[in-house]
Amino acid sequence: MNAPHIPPRPIQALPDHLISQIAAGEVVDRPSAVVKELLENALDAGATQVTVRLEEGGVKRIAITDNGRGIPPVQMPLALARHATSKIASLDDLENVGTLGFRGEALASIASVAQLTLTSRTAQEPHAWEISGNHEAQVMPSSGALGTTIDVRDLYFNTPARRKFLKSEQTEFGHCAEVVRRIALSRPDVAFSLSHNGKTIDHWNVSAVDKRSAHILGNEFAGARLQLDESAGPLRLHGFVGLPTAARARADSQYFYVNGRFVRDKLLTHAVRAAYQDVLHGDRYPSYVLGLDLDPALVDVNVHPSKIEVRFRDSRAVHQFVFHAISRTLAQTAPGTVDESAAPVVSSSAALPWIREQRQTSFGMQFSSGLGVAQTTADYGALFSASAPSQPAAPQPQFSTPSIQALPDEEFPLGFALAQLHGIYVLAQNVKGLVLVDMHAAHERILYEQLKNALDADALQVQPLLIPVTFHADPVEVGTAEENPDALKSLGFDVSALSPTTLAVRAIPALLKNADAQSLARDVLRDLREFGGSRVLLERRNEMLGTLACHTAVRANRALTLPEMNALLRQMEATERADQCNHGRPTWVQLALGDLDKLFLRGQ
């Protein structure tokens, strides 16, 4: 295609108003962007109460009122001027940004494409002041409480081409409401109210983060989440991660904040996804609300006009920290982390109060049958052992029975085996009711974790290649190999440049000696470039171990004795990530007595 003919024009300075409209194209591409910028300004002003009023999806009107510090009348014209801000004054301030907004472009850009009125009052003023239009307008006395109200009307009234690209009223309102939810999630210490076309849509009082996240993400998330709070050096990760069994078909419940700022960062998303890899089924997406706090000097938030992307100084360290923190949380569920009152009628592994310290089990505890009969678990096990039909020994993997040690104050979360159903499921009774276990899926997870632990206990074995594998590489790949020799070595690779366009692979991890060395090296280099670390080795290794565990685990239709079933239950209780098999499917479900009563209409 031929390029359009553009007549030559002289170089000239653009008018200030046109510059603001160009900036508006980047900063305020739709009504939700206006809401985001104004809410961030309100929080930076110390507001503890914010009201958002929208009309026609925010196109006709966006009015945001806060009870923050307010703006002195002499500074109100500057608030509408381009590149005027109270939040940075030097390059050092820019490199240590501690506020949500700092560019000084938002209000000027908004005022260039809408009718804007700014009303504000500080604690030192007897009344409020008002300015309409742009920074050249006159400040006039007005009425109003302490704080600031910014009223934006007729968005894009003077840029009709931009207005044509907007979607329907409900779609634009949906985007605005999502922005309010994101910011409300990050600041539970602030009350928010949202209305649309005169109707109140949402209201969140000041509350704790667990209640705010439950209010916004719903009871389903509240009933299947794990709390996380880990620190390492200057990094702290805190918030909630959803249980794998509560994963969703869409990635619409994922909220990540860096120093209180909502971000969509591919490094952080990759770290979270990698942590869920072993426990997530298919194309499901986990839910989470996470905050990463670190020294502002270690992260650059000024890499995108909308400030939704960030760049970390040490991306590898951040990636590894986030990955391991979430992995540990998913592996070790603690008592009381799940709100069982919000769980569904047929609850899954979300209801399991793991007893991680209970690595050895007791057959000397008291067991209540729920029928008013109590006996020692030793007698209980003996009873079933005596009544169980003898089974011929089969050449299948055997479950080891843990050693006996009395723990009178604990209980067995998965209870004790009653029977086997169709050679597939183990039926067990615990204090809550009936437990159903998929014995193959459960044993598969147990073996998989045992294989991983055994492999991790040994140093990474490296396989030198008799004949180095050489391949043509682009300059980025060559540069990555030259810049990361230590990282490659730690992953078991020896990759070096033979020429500006050729790389040679001289060693790979012994576990992957049969893999394609060239494609493996390319994948590792890509990960090092994008995430500062590589999950390729771990993913390939785990894939092989998962296949081995699947083929080794007890198969369906294998008849188990009751002692074997109980041993399986005890090993599940002592195994990390035993809620799901290696493919992300649940390994057990719980039917409470109340659920069983409902099935038989008892008490009705």
Side-chain angles (χ1 to χ4, degrees), residues 125-321:
E125 295 295 324
H127 56 79
W129 295 83
E130 177 183 298
I131 183 172
S132 297
N134 55 40
H135 65 284
E136 297 177 346
Q138 185 177 358
V139 179
M140 304 291 292
S142 183
S143 60
L146 175 65
T148 301
T149 295
I150 298 181
D151 199 340
V152 179
R153 296 175 182 266
D154 297 324
L155 192 60
Y156 307 125
F157 78 98
N158 56 357
T159 52
R162 170 59 59 84
R163 195 160 185 164
K164 291 179 181 178
F165 284 95
L166 297 179
K167 304 299 182 183
S168 67
E169 176 180 325
Q170 284 303 312
T171 297
E172 294 301 335
F173 169 71
H175 286 291
C176 293
E178 176 62 17
V179 166
V180 179
R181 282 193 292 268
R182 289 175 188 167
I183 294 179
L185 266 175
S186 69
R187 293 297 301 272
D189 59 323
V190 177
F192 291 87
S193 181
L194 171 64
S195 65
H196 185 223
N197 294 336
K199 179 182 178 181
T200 299
I201 304 299
D202 278 311
H203 180 79
W204 302 288
N205 292 319
V206 174
S207 61
V209 64
D210 57 339
K211 293 183 179 179
R212 176 66 61 86
S213 60
H215 191 171
I216 294 178
L217 271 68
N219 289 335
E220 182 179 356
F221 178 75
R225 64 184 179 185
L226 307 173
Q227 189 166 11
L228 183 157
D229 195 337
E230 288 202 21
S231 299
L235 304 176
R236 179 192 174 213
L237 185 68
H238 55 94
F240 298 94
V241 291
L243 286 166
T245 48
R248 301 168 63 89
R250 298 172 55 195
D252 56 355
S253 293
Q254 300 182 340
Y255 297 88
F256 212 120
Y257 302 86
V258 175
N259 288 344
R261 183 191 308 277
F262 176 81
V263 298
R264 283 199 187 101
D265 183 81
K266 63 180 181 180
L267 181 142
L268 297 175
T269 301
H270 183 271
V272 175
R273 187 73 184 181
Y276 273 91
Q277 178 194 3
D278 267 357
V279 293
L280 209 60
H281 180 61
D283 295 327
R284 306 287 290 178
Y285 295 90
S287 301
Y288 53 83
V289 178
L290 292 169
L292 177 65
D293 297 339
L294 71 165
D295 186 339
L298 301 179
V299 57
D300 184 2
V301 298
N302 192 30
V303 296
H304 192 274
S306 66
K307 303 186 291 292
I308 205 168
E309 299 176 8
V310 295
R311 182 182 294 120
F312 297 101
R313 179 173 296 181
D314 190 344
S315 58
R316 184 181 185 189
V318 172
H319 184 279
Q320 291 297 94
F321 169 68

Side-chain angles (χ1 to χ4, degrees), residues 525-541:
L525 290 173
R526 185 195 65 243
D527 279 3
L528 283 174
R529 181 172 66 251
E530 295 184 1
F531 310 115
S534 180
R535 305 297 309 162
V536 171
L537 173 61
L538 189 60
E539 290 168 3
R540 297 278 184 95
R541 185 201 76 167

Side-chain angles (χ1 to χ4, degrees), residues 16 19-20 23 78-85 88 102-106 108:
D16 201 54
I19 293 174
S20 294
L78 274 176
L80 300 184
R82 293 181 59 247
H83 299 157
T85 178
I88 59 171
F102 55 88
R103 289 171 174 268
E105 295 180 359

